[in-house]
Amino acid sequence: SSSEEEEDDEDDDRLRRLDVGDDVMELRECLTAVREVNLFTAMDAGVRAFDGLTAKGDVCKEMFRSIRDFAVDIVSVSDAVRGFEISDVGSLARNVKDLVKDMWRCLKLSGLMRRFAQQVGRLIKWMIDLFAEASSKLGAVWSALAYAKECMVDCVEHVLEAMRLCDEARDKSETLVSTSGEIKDHLENVLKVNKTSLSSIRDLMDGSEIGLAIEIASTIDDTIKEAVQKVIAMIQRVREGFENLPDVIRDGIPDLGVAGTRDGDPDAADVEGDVADMDKCRGDIEEANVMSTLRASADGFSGVKDKAGICKDMITSSRAFAEDCQGTIESFMGVWDLRSAQDKILEMCRLVRLGEMMQQFAEQVDALVVAVVAVMKAAKNKIKRVNLADPGKLISSIASGVADNVDEIKDLGKKLKFWKN
């Protein structure tokens, strides 16, 4: 009959929805992705897993609806069987036939209901496995990121202190530039033997100005070394935090400094040539005679002024790295979600790279300052041997050192008369 055909068609349609093989395969793929998750795949795997759980939840919902429909049909058929009556002998055959059909229908629906329930159970099992694995792995990601956040908080104090020390060293380097420039001018004035020379000799006599310059440079050296220690402490804390993260976070990340490199990062500072210049100046001063001591010292302090300027520039760069560190930490403390997890860990890598650059620049400053101090100490020791207290003898010494011809001697003779008068 047409009603039986409709029931069969409806059952066939339900049976087509019974196969959950593709659904199970999708869940299995999601489960594999979650099990192999690392920081760089966590977002895609997590989204895929929970999208899969949502989609298969809808499939289960539809299957439970079919099971409910089966149950409703079974109740309806069972009611018909319970209400079976024979009204007359003539209708017996027809009534028995209907009864058998209803009972067969009830058995068929029960079988379909059982099969649907089995498939739903199969699908739910995979859903439970996926949910458990996703909760474990993605929960580990979140816990690890929270630990990383604690590490970054610990770095704030180191960064702020490094910035303060850079500011202090930069100010002192500016003072060293001006002080060494003044000393150079005094030395050159002495060599000119003019009206301003006597004033320059007086300023140089006690050696206090050169001593001040040495003290300033030495303080820069100490300040930079302290800043380097702060930077090293920051880097160590970040690395410590990273090494304590689970494999799910560290997998797929190369060395932190490498991972934190950017295209616009400056080249490493290199003061090898500048240190060589200072070493040459020091050598020239140590080997100089009375006359050439002043010339070599003047050249030496000219170099000191230039190198102090280079130190100032490198300290400024180090300070900029520290500012970037502060900005990176502030960004790290911003809005958190699974989608931003990869960027957050890469910010840890960036912090290490910035710290490494800052440390390298600062160490180059330290190397150059040491060479600058050596030049100034050599000049101070050598100038002590020059009799600045007696201008006449000083000029005579200068004359004997440079008068290679009569004209120079005559010129120096005129200058000697100036001093005697």
Side-chain angles (χ1 to χ4, degrees):
S1 65
S2 60
S3 61
E4 292 177 350
E5 291 177 356
E6 290 177 359
E7 288 177 351
D8 290 339
D9 290 340
E10 185 177 353
D11 292 342
D12 290 341
D13 184 57
R14 289 170 173 171
L15 284 171
R16 280 193 291 271
R17 298 200 302 273
L18 180 61
D19 185 7
V20 295
D22 292 341
D23 301 298
V24 169
M25 183 63 68
E26 291 178 12
L27 289 176
R28 184 179 296 170
E29 291 174 355
C30 289
L31 184 59
T32 300
V34 170
R35 283 173 175 166
E36 298 174 356
V37 72
N38 60 39
L39 177 65
F40 298 98
T41 61
M43 183 60 209
D44 290 339
V47 170
R48 185 179 175 187
F50 285 102
D51 282 349
L53 288 170
T54 300
K56 303 319 168 189
D58 289 338
V59 172
C60 289
K61 180 180 177 181
E62 288 298 319
M63 296 183 74
F64 278 121
R65 184 178 289 116
S66 295
I67 291 173
R68 180 182 180 279
D69 291 342
F70 293 149
V72 170
D73 289 345
I74 289 173
V75 169
S76 177
V77 173
S78 297
D79 288 342
V81 172
R82 285 198 303 270
F84 176 75
E85 294 180 356
I86 300 176
S87 56
D88 57 75
V89 176
S91 62
L92 176 62
R94 178 173 53 79
N95 290 338
V96 170
K97 181 179 179 181
D98 290 340
L99 175 63
V100 171
K101 287 170 57 179
D102 288 340
M103 293 178 65
W104 175 251
R105 175 67 178 162
C106 186
L107 290 172
K108 181 180 179 181
L109 289 174
S110 297
L112 286 173
M113 186 174 178
R114 179 178 58 82
R115 291 173 63 186
F116 265 77
Q118 289 173 338
Q119 293 300 306
V120 170
R122 180 186 174 197
L123 189 58
I124 289 177
K125 176 184 177 299
W126 280 99
M127 290 176 66
I128 291 173
D129 290 344
L130 176 58
F131 187 80
E133 192 72 25
S135 298
S136 174
K137 285 297 182 72
L138 299 179
V141 170
W142 201 252
S143 176
L145 291 175
Y147 179 75
K149 191 172 185 178
E150 293 179 8
C151 297
M152 297 291 272
V153 170
D154 293 341
C155 292
V156 173
E157 182 179 351
H158 297 308
V159 171
L160 293 178
E161 185 63 11
M163 290 172 63
R164 184 192 68 78
L165 292 167
C166 283
D167 289 339
E168 183 179 328
R170 182 179 58 193
D171 293 342
K172 290 175 180 177
S173 66
E174 289 179 351
T175 303
L176 181 59
V177 169
S178 61
T179 303
S180 57
E182 291 172 2
I183 296 172
K184 174 188 75 75
D185 292 341
H186 287 321
L187 290 167
E188 290 183 343
N189 276 336
V190 173
L191 289 170
K192 290 176 182 177
V193 194
N194 55 28
K195 293 181 179 181
T196 62
S197 298
L198 183 58
S199 175
S200 294
I201 290 173
R202 289 170 179 166
D203 288 333
L204 292 172
M205 278 179 61
D206 61 0
S208 60
E209 193 165 12
I210 296 178
L212 175 62
I214 294 173
E215 181 182 352
I216 293 171
S218 298
T219 307
I220 293 173
D221 183 40
D222 294 338
T223 304
I224 286 298
K225 286 179 178 177
E226 187 177 353
V228 168
Q229 292 306 310
K230 296 298 180 182
V231 174
I232 291 174
M234 178 195 74
I235 294 174
Q236 288 176 340
R237 181 60 179 133
V238 176
R239 287 192 178 278
E240 176 188 347
F242 184 79
E243 292 301 325
N244 280 285
L245 296 177
D247 292 340
V248 69
I249 290 292
R250 291 188 287 119
D251 286 350
I253 298 180
D255 178 78
L256 269 73
V258 175
T261 301
R262 300 289 183 271
D263 291 337
D265 288 345
D267 295 332
D270 184 5
V271 297
E272 183 177 354
D274 300 295
V275 170
D277 291 342
M278 289 288 92
D279 289 343
K280 183 179 184 304
C281 288
R282 178 175 53 79
D284 291 343
I285 292 171
E286 291 172 346
E287 296 173 3
N289 56 34
V290 175
M291 169 54 191
S292 58
T293 290
L294 298 177
R295 179 70 271 165
S297 296
D299 292 342
F301 274 95
S302 177
V304 167
K305 178 182 178 181
D306 292 340
K307 304 314 178 187
I310 293 174
C311 288
K312 175 189 171 184
D313 292 341
M314 288 194 293
I315 292 170
T316 300
S317 296
S318 295
R319 213 277 186 188
F321 294 146
E323 288 180 357
D324 288 344
C325 287
Q326 184 181 26
T328 299
I329 293 174
E330 289 175 354
S331 175
F332 194 91
M333 301 305 169
V335 177
W336 278 68
D337 55 38
L338 189 58
R339 191 176 298 278
S340 64
Q342 178 177 336
D343 292 337
K344 295 298 183 183
I345 293 299
L346 290 179
E347 283 171 355
M348 288 185 74
C349 300
R350 181 58 179 166
L351 187 59
V352 169
R353 177 56 182 158
L354 288 169
E356 290 175 344
M357 290 191 292
M358 184 178 178
Q359 179 181 352
Q360 197 272 334
F361 269 66
E363 288 174 345
Q364 291 294 295
V365 171
D366 179 57
L368 186 52
V369 168
V370 169
V372 164
V373 170
V375 169
M376 293 191 291
K377 285 183 176 180
K380 183 180 180 182
N381 292 333
K382 199 77 175 190
I383 290 173
K384 282 182 179 179
R385 303 175 189 175
V386 179
N387 189 2
L388 295 177
D390 189 336
K393 289 183 178 180
L394 173 62
I395 300 303
S396 297
S397 298
I398 294 173
S400 64
V402 298
D404 295 329
N405 55 55
V406 175
D407 291 335
E408 288 184 4
I409 293 174
K410 288 180 179 179
D411 181 56
L412 285 168
K414 293 177 182 179
K415 291 179 178 179
L416 280 170
K417 290 181 180 179
F418 165 78
W419 286 106
K420 290 178 180 179
N421 294 331

